[in-house]
Amino acid sequence: MTGPSTKMFSLLFLGIYMVTMVTSSEVCNQGINCQLPDCFCGGKVDPGNFTKPSDIPQMVLFSFDDAVTDDIREMYDKLFASNRLNPHGCPITMTMFISHNFTNYDSVRALYRRGMEVAVHSVTHRVPITYWKLATYDALSYEILQQRKYLSEKSDIPISNIKGWRSPFLQPSGDQQFSILKEENFEYDSTFTLSTKYGNSSRIWPSTLDFGWNNECNIPPCPRGKYAGFWEIPVQMLENPTGTSGCLYTDSCRPATVDETFQLFWTNFHSHYTTTRSPLFFTMHPAWLVEEKNFQALDYFLLTLLHYYDDVYFINYQQLLQWMKNPQKLENISNFAPWDCQWFGDDSLVSPAADDLRNNGGNVITFGKSMVLLLALFAVFLTKSFHG
């Protein structure tokens, strides 16, 4: 817990942000008053300002909220198996925003050692939602810092490698949330939401908060201050091919069948891959995958992209930020050190070359459940024809 002097300093620090930083009307202008790797304005222009979208690796990012139980770990092990490889030969990864209650920290440790990112999602995850909106500085500090401590100590993860936070229920806590995260050396937050009028995909690049949060405040309170070098990776609305409005959590779209679930994933992939190639985010609760149709559809979606596309990468949030700070063309990814997998802690996970003959079948689609497979093949044909 923080002492009185620390608390007083923190409150003073917060006050400085709210009073002095809000008054400036300076607008972020990339390359002029905002320079990579420390500052990025975000928006629809990629950080490399590449001539062609095809120069950009299509990054697909899965993030899962809440506890990691034994059953949840079993699903993660199947979907993100160590022999499912990105085109450069390293296993696919994802990000977990983990809350304390019911979490098995041995499972967290095992997943981390396989390359999955571990991030913070509070100790209590308590209700009502207004608790997070109105949380005091001390209460919020406890939720953030104590859970990071649990993740580090109970899962044997260096605390410096736990860099992200997402508020429960996507409910921000205003400036105090960001002052805590900034002071305590977190690198990013992923709480804000980006929605669109007609529910189509947002297709926006993450940004730093050097000039504050300059998008619509969908869920107040949003911060009024500026936080230099601190990244916001927003939760972006997905297009819902079977509904009239989009969804922020993938599981909020409520597809009714395996085919509809597959199309939910596919429609949003196609929307990104054939246009700007901005990062594609699927934000979900792992409990949704307990339904067989959802698990099956996601499994085939992963296999389809891994089997047929050599320019699509399943990465985690930290890997995304490393690429954004130092953008690399697709042709150079094999030599991009932050996406290397040599640090993975289990010696049995040293990955072979990413080809179907040597990856133990990880990227190979097995036959069965033919309707989903045929849909996947047809979708690939349409995308390849449209894009090439």
Side-chain angles (χ1 to χ4, degrees), residues 1-11 137-138 141 184:
M1 297 296 291
T2 57
S5 60
T6 303
K7 179 181 177 182
M8 184 175 296
F9 174 79
S10 298
L11 290 174
Y137 186 95
D138 283 349
S141 292
E184 297 296 336

Side-chain angles (χ1 to χ4, degrees), residues 156-199:
D156 194 26
I157 300 172
I159 204 164
S160 60
N161 288 359
I162 304 173
K163 299 181 178 181
W165 159 265
R166 175 176 288 158
S167 296
F169 313 107
L170 305 181
Q171 174 60 63
S173 304
D175 280 280
Q176 63 180 357
Q177 172 180 330
F178 291 88
S179 64
I180 294 168
L181 295 171
K182 174 74 172 174
E183 288 174 43
E184 297 296 336
N185 296 315
F186 282 78
E187 184 176 20
Y188 72 88
D189 170 80
S190 185
T191 300
F192 293 163
T193 59
L194 288 176
S195 60
T196 53
K197 183 176 180 180
Y198 299 105

Side-chain angles (χ1 to χ4, degrees), residues 215-231:
N215 296 285
E216 183 178 355
C217 184
N218 293 320
I219 306 176
C222 294
R224 301 177 63 194
K226 303 177 181 181
Y227 302 88
F230 187 82
W231 290 83

Side-chain angles (χ1 to χ4, degrees), residues 15 202 300 383:
S202 302
Y300 269 88
T383 298

Side-chain angles (χ1 to χ4, degrees), residues 5-23:
S5 60
T6 303
K7 179 181 177 182
M8 184 175 296
F9 174 79
S10 298
L11 290 174
L12 177 61
F13 184 74
L14 175 59
I16 291 173
Y17 273 117
M18 296 183 68
V19 174
T20 65
M21 292 189 174
V22 176
T23 58

Side-chain angles (χ1 to χ4, degrees), residues 21-53:
M21 292 189 174
V22 176
T23 58
S24 173
S25 60
E26 188 178 11
V27 176
C28 188
N29 195 333
Q30 195 66 41
I32 297 177
N33 58 5
C34 181
Q35 304 279 351
L36 287 172
D38 301 317
C39 177
F40 186 64
C41 298
K44 295 187 176 182
V45 178
D46 67 88
N49 198 22
F50 293 128
T51 304
K52 301 177 297 182

